[in-house]
Amino acid sequence: MKSPLELRVMQEFIETCTISWQKGWNERNGGNMSYRMKDEEVDAVKQFFSFDKPFVKIGLKVQNLAGEFFIVTGSGKCYKNVAKYPEDNICIAQIDETGESYRIVWGLVNGGKPTSEFSTHLLNHSVKKEATDGKFRLIMHAHPVNTVALTFILPLDSKVFSRELWEMMPECAFVFPEGLGVLPWMLCGGTEIAYATGELIRRFNTVIWAHHGVFTSGPDFDEAFGIMETVEKAAEMLVKVISCGGKRQTMKKEQILALSENYDVNIDKTLLE
Ligand code: 2HA
Ligand code: ZN
């Protein structure tokens, strides 16, 4: 191993930044992403880490992440530049033993700090690690146009968003059977929105921030990115349908439930009540 950049997971991280930017989800420095590294990935590249930077307070406590390492995008850094200059735009950060601070051990070579949403990312990681027995490792935040546009049109309610997007295509029930969490507009970048998102992400793998963007979570890049793609595609369909004058016919509740039963996906029926 010559550097952390040779890790397969690092290459996936970088590629995902590029694709997200190309999709228009992460304009300029918009959006952010973090990945909780596996022990074997840390072991493979640990010799490149430096442990001389000071610990910085997270603003909240994530005890079950103590000692963990995260690949994370830098605050104010452009997704567009990640592939060209990864060491300048992303970093690896380690959580201390109390779960209250982090320090940068690799990357951001020209200075900087992890994303302004790091506290939300870490709380989401903490919740998902516990809820999935350590399976979930990714948190992605982006500003996909159609999903955000819908937050100006639809009531800001999980039931409404879940049902409306499930109706767009069968794939939605397969990809997010648990539905979508929705938060009203809140000030971003702080711990209040971190706690509010953490509450919802326990139940949902996706949380929509009204008039701002989307958080998705998953065990790997395909899953976390896949939910973002699917939600945004369904949102685009709905925006087009609304723009064409609204639905004249649609999938019925029983048809959505039939998908759940016939394909053994555990759709949350309470969202259809
Ligand atoms: O600029 O997306 O939510 C990064 C963000 C803040
Ligand atoms: Zn954002």
Side-chain angles (χ1 to χ4, degrees):
M1 193 69 60
K2 288 209 198 79
S3 99
L5 292 174
E6 286 181 51
L7 276 178
R8 188 195 153 114
V9 77
M10 182 66 93
Q11 289 164 4
E12 279 189 275
F13 189 101
I14 293 167
E15 188 191 23
T16 304
C17 288
T18 303
I19 298 171
S20 297
W21 173 67
Q22 286 166 341
K23 281 181 164 288
W25 297 346
N26 295 78
E27 76 293 341
R28 200 178 181 278
N29 61 312
N32 23 76
M33 181 161 60
S34 61
Y35 169 80
R36 185 168 58 82
M37 295 175 78
K38 295 180 180 164
D39 289 345
E40 61 266 31
E41 290 159 352
V42 173
D43 287 344
V45 296
K46 221 177 186 166
Q47 75 258 37
F48 300 96
F49 293 173
S50 55
F51 295 96
D52 51 359
K53 292 220 172 58
F55 278 105
V56 179
K57 287 277 183 217
I58 298 163
L60 43 78
K61 191 174 170 79
V62 283
Q63 187 62 62
N64 67 339
L65 302 181
E68 297 251 26
F69 292 82
F70 291 86
I71 306 175
V72 58
T73 49
S75 176
K77 302 289 187 178
C78 300
Y79 266 43
K80 167 171 76 67
N81 299 332
V82 170
K84 238 200 241 170
Y85 311 111
E87 299 102 317
D88 186 22
N89 290 287
I90 62 180
C91 70
I92 296 176
Q94 179 193 23
I95 310 301
D96 75 348
E97 286 313 311
T98 66
E100 288 179 301
S101 303
Y102 73 85
R103 67 179 165 190
I104 295 170
V105 298
W106 178 91
L108 286 174
V109 290
N110 294 310
K113 53 186 184 184
T115 166
S116 58
E117 306 291 5
F118 203 31
S119 52
T120 297
H121 277 250
L122 290 174
L123 196 63
N124 286 346
H125 277 293
S126 171
V127 169
K128 281 309 202 189
K129 183 182 175 188
E130 186 198 313
T132 68
D133 228 350
K135 224 172 106 217
F136 273 38
R137 294 185 172 276
L138 264 162
I139 301 291
M140 286 183 194
H141 169 57
H143 304 155
V145 174
N146 295 283
T147 311
V148 176
L150 286 179
T151 68
F152 293 85
I153 307 288
L154 299 180
L156 300 175
D157 179 73
S158 281
K159 276 190 178 178
V160 175
F161 268 80
S162 303
R163 166 85 185 250
E164 288 288 341
L165 295 192
W166 280 340
E167 277 181 36
M168 290 299 111
M169 55 176 177
E171 207 56 30
C172 292
F174 303 148
V175 175
F176 50 93
E178 71 287 345
L180 304 167
V182 182
L183 275 184
W185 188 88
M186 292 176 74
L187 187 63
C188 53
T191 49
E192 198 187 335
I193 198 165
Y195 285 120
T197 311
E199 282 283 311
L200 290 181
I201 209 117
R202 190 175 295 281
R203 171 175 176 191
F204 303 106
N205 292 332
T206 311
V207 177
I208 297 169
W209 283 0
H211 324 320
H212 182 146
V214 181
F215 269 86
T216 62
S217 58
D220 55 32
F221 289 88
D222 285 350
E223 295 283 333
F225 186 82
I227 297 196
M228 192 77 80
E229 277 185 298
T230 311
V231 167
E232 173 58 5
K233 182 164 187 178
E236 183 176 355
M237 287 179 193
L238 187 54
V239 166
K240 288 187 175 164
V241 169
I242 293 168
S243 307
C244 291
K247 294 176 216 167
R248 311 244 164 101
Q249 58 270 325
T250 185
M251 268 166 81
K252 297 190 178 64
K253 179 177 164 183
E254 303 74 59
Q255 292 171 323
I256 299 173
L257 289 172
L259 289 169
S260 184
E261 278 144 30
N262 290 16
Y263 290 92
D264 202 23
V265 283
N266 194 19
I267 198 164
D268 186 340
K269 297 182 181 63
T270 63
L271 294 168
L272 290 171
E273 283 161 5

